Amino acid sequence: MRVLLTAGPTREPLDPVRFLSNRSSGRMGYALARALLAEGHQVVLVTGPTALRPPAKAKVVPVETAEDMLAACRRHWSDCDAVVGVAAVADYRPARHSGDKLKRTEGQGLSLELVPNPDILATLAKDKGGRLAVGFALESGDGKVEALRKLRAKNLDFVVLNGPEAQGAEQASLRVFDAIGKERHLGPARKPTLAKQLVRWIFGRIPA
Ligand code: C5P
């Protein structure tokens, strides 16, 4: 299979030196890319900025913003058989991007206007036909209801639920739900181990 995989955070610029982003390290996405390659799949890794070395055998497409990530994914989606959305896409971006560095005005606050970013996975999965779409849901608390809502809302085949403690961590626990409500627990384990188990569970019966 040829798998389109999004990973890492996005960066939403405010001015030439500042951006809005999040704590995603990209570890889970890169571990999944490695696990897919090890099983003989091809991987197009569309990745936000991370400190990680990408797997040598992946086709790597580096991006910064959510809009760049969507454009890059659209270019590659027609050649792919599956999409796995692991990226922590910023939900909002600044409404305006200043070409000059914003100046501080002594004693005055600053309000930022934010506008919503596109939902990359939902956009791709809408027209997936028979292709496979897998998403992640990061929820605090139980999260099952919200994960299943996202599975339906984004037209996914599988949703992988994890907690906020997984962000940036070496280890995690996951719950995987499929479209008929079957659930599987994985971990706690290091992300490379979890990635192998996930790939085996989700792509196991599909030939590379
Ligand atoms: O809605 P939420 O951000 O929790 O959804 C998580 C899933 O959707 C992840 O797989 C994430 O990569 C994907 N997503 C996306 N584009 C967005 C927001 C989320 O692809 N703008």
Side-chain angles (χ1 to χ4, degrees), residues 31-208:
L32 269 171
R34 286 206 161 79
L36 284 162
L37 289 163
E39 292 288 318
H41 300 283
Q42 293 176 295
V43 174
V44 180
L45 178 60
V46 179
T47 174
T50 77
L52 306 174
R53 184 145 31 97
K57 284 192 284 171
K59 176 175 176 57
V60 181
V61 185
V63 296
E64 290 247 338
T65 68
E67 288 181 302
D68 294 345
M69 187 174 269
L70 177 59
C73 286
R74 278 191 197 278
R75 280 199 300 278
H76 292 281
W77 183 218
S78 54
D79 298 334
C80 291
D81 311 294
V83 58
V84 183
V86 199
V89 182
D91 288 323
Y92 297 93
R93 64 177 183 276
R96 282 167 293 279
H97 174 190
S98 166
D100 294 318
K101 187 180 168 199
L102 295 174
K103 295 211 173 13
R104 180 163 52 105
T105 313
E106 201 58 45
Q108 265 187 32
L110 175 70
S111 297
L112 288 181
E113 191 191 340
L114 303 178
V115 293
N117 266 329
D119 190 315
I120 295 163
L121 190 55
T123 306
L124 301 178
K126 196 162 52 150
D127 308 315
K128 74 186 184 72
R131 294 178 289 179
L132 193 68
V134 182
F136 274 67
L138 191 145
E139 310 293 341
S140 52
D142 178 19
K144 179 176 176 176
V145 171
E146 189 55 14
L148 290 175
R149 189 192 63 75
K150 283 177 186 171
L151 181 138
R152 300 214 167 81
K154 298 182 196 236
N155 197 28
L156 306 178
D157 300 286
F158 292 91
V159 66
V160 183
L161 173 64
N162 55 18
E165 66 286 350
Q167 269 207 332
E170 299 271 352
Q171 286 227 135
S173 294
L174 304 175
R175 292 164 77 187
V176 192
F177 300 93
D178 68 15
I180 54 164
K182 204 156 139 202
E183 173 176 355
R184 184 171 172 138
H185 281 253
L186 301 176
R190 291 170 59 81
K191 288 180 178 177
T193 307
L194 281 176
K196 279 188 204 133
Q197 294 173 353
L198 252 182
V199 165
R200 225 167 284 147
W201 178 245
I202 292 177
F203 291 84
R205 275 147 276 135
I206 301 159

